[in-house]
Structures are given as C-alpha cells and as structure tokens.
Amino acid sequence: MTLEEKISALSEEYRDHIRPELEVLRAYISRLQSGDYTPEDLRALQQLAHMQSGSAGSFGYEQLAEAAKATDVAMIQGLAIPDLVQRLKAWETALNATLA
Amino acid sequence: MQPFPQSPQRNYIRNLDRLSVLIADDDPFVGRLITAILQDSGIYNVHSVKDGEEAFNLLKERSFDLAILDIHMPFVNGIALSAQIRALDRLQRRRTGIIIMTTHCDATLVPFVRANEVDQLCLKPLARANLIQRIMSALSPRNQSQREPEPDTELNALWI
C-alpha cells in the first residue's frame, strides 16, 4: 500500500471516527442555547474543537478544521455565549458536510 | 505525494532505519498519520503515545533521537515534556531533536519554546513535505549545535 493509499484509508477511518461527534456537538449547542450547561461542558467542548482543528485538516477536511478552530479560538477569547453558539452552528454545518 | 526529498539535508542523517522517534499526541489519528509518513520515509523505529504522561513515563525508560510532541495534551503538555527531555539530555550527554506541533500561532509560547531549546515548531494541519523538512532540520548537525529554534513559516512573526 502506498502512502497515498494509507492516508486515504486513514482519512476515511477518521471520518467514521468523528461521526458520533455531530450528535455530541448538537447536544452542546442545545445546552448552551437553553443555558443548561456547566463549566465542564465548556471545557469538553473546547477540547473537542481543539482536537478537530488540529487533526481534520491533516486528513484533507480543511473546512471542518477551520470551523473547529474558529470555535476553539472563540472559547480561548471568552466569546459571549450567543456569539459562541453561532460559531458552534457553523462548525456543525461544516461537520455535517464532511460526514455527508 | 512526492518521494522522499533527495536533498543535501538527507546526508546529515545516516541510517534512517535506526532513528528512533517518539510521537506524543492525544489524537491517535495524528500519531498514525505521522507514523505512516515516517515509515514511508524509511524511519521505522517509531513509538506513538496518546498523552504526555505516557510519553513522560516512556522517556524515563529509554531515549529517542527525535520527539514530535503536540503542545496541548492531557496531564503533561508538550512544553513540559520538552523540559523533561532536555533534563535527561544533560544527564546522558546527548541531544534529542524536538518538534512541537501546535494549532495556533501563539506568541506566549515563545519564551517557553526557547527556554527548552525546541528545535522546530510545526503548525497543524500537518503537510507531509513540511513535516519531513522539520524532521530533517531538527536532526541536522546545525540544530544539534545551534540552539535557536526554527519556527514554521506561519509562525515567523513570533520570532522577530
């Protein structure tokens, strides 16, 4: 198997790996919109954003990486929740498109 | 993908198949991607671990020629690991090449990176050619004697 084939297979496996994260992300959006969230939720959400921003682009999913990075940066900067939710929705859209 | 570059840099490093590399990243897919790239380049002695604590414990048992570390990891981050590697290097009179991977250009990293003599900064997402170039530079004699780290292109502004 060539490197290109290995990376292609790994990219497909990565996409399957992050598939459940769409529902996780939607649950976070719902919690933030309702105000029913904890500091631990925010920490876990940022961890998710950080991981996807670092890895998705390496597997060719640049738009997803950018959307996740925008969320990660917003959370580092302490963006207000309503604005953060907009970033999360953009991330959700990118993730949905990646998984389609 | 292009084959492994036959540049003069490659002459710095003999016996690629004997090089030992530690990869520490909490995303296992990143570890697998780097491992695949290294193996394709003839570097087979690769250990990939999932967090800083595992890397820390492994470093107490054995040394590596090169460490590729994510900056953000649970328990022990890449900068703290770099400090550990340099402390062990001083004891063992050796010098490990260190590459730190980061997602963000963050100027606050600079003093920590310099203090721990990190050789190369590599911005994620990873591109094969860039990663190989960083590895060659980190292992070159120039970097073994010159302690000033080289940033990724997009990080250049941080080092002025």
Side-chain angles (χ1 to χ4, degrees), chain B residues 22-26 47-64 66-90 96-101 112-113 115-119:
Chain B
L22 170 66
I23 304 166
D25 195 303
D26 54 340
H47 291 253
S48 182
V49 298
K50 68 180 184 307
D51 61 48
E53 184 179 35
E54 198 176 336
F56 188 87
N57 290 332
L58 190 57
L59 284 164
K60 287 192 285 191
E61 296 173 6
R62 56 158 298 179
S63 59
F64 292 88
L66 174 68
I68 304 175
L69 314 172
D70 187 30
I71 196 156
H72 291 294
M73 288 185 289
F75 310 119
V76 184
N77 66 32
I79 294 294
L81 269 179
S82 300
Q84 167 74 359
I85 290 170
R86 290 295 174 238
L88 291 169
D89 279 355
R90 283 189 285 276
T96 307
I98 300 178
I99 299 174
I100 292 277
M101 298 181 290
F112 300 104
V113 164
N116 292 296
E117 300 168 15
V118 171
D119 296 301

Side-chain angles (χ1 to χ4, degrees), chain B residues 10-24:
Chain B
R10 194 179 186 184
N11 295 331
Y12 293 154
I13 303 156
R14 295 175 182 172
N15 301 321
L16 276 173
D17 57 334
R18 293 186 188 173
L19 269 180
S20 57
V21 181
L22 170 66
I23 304 166

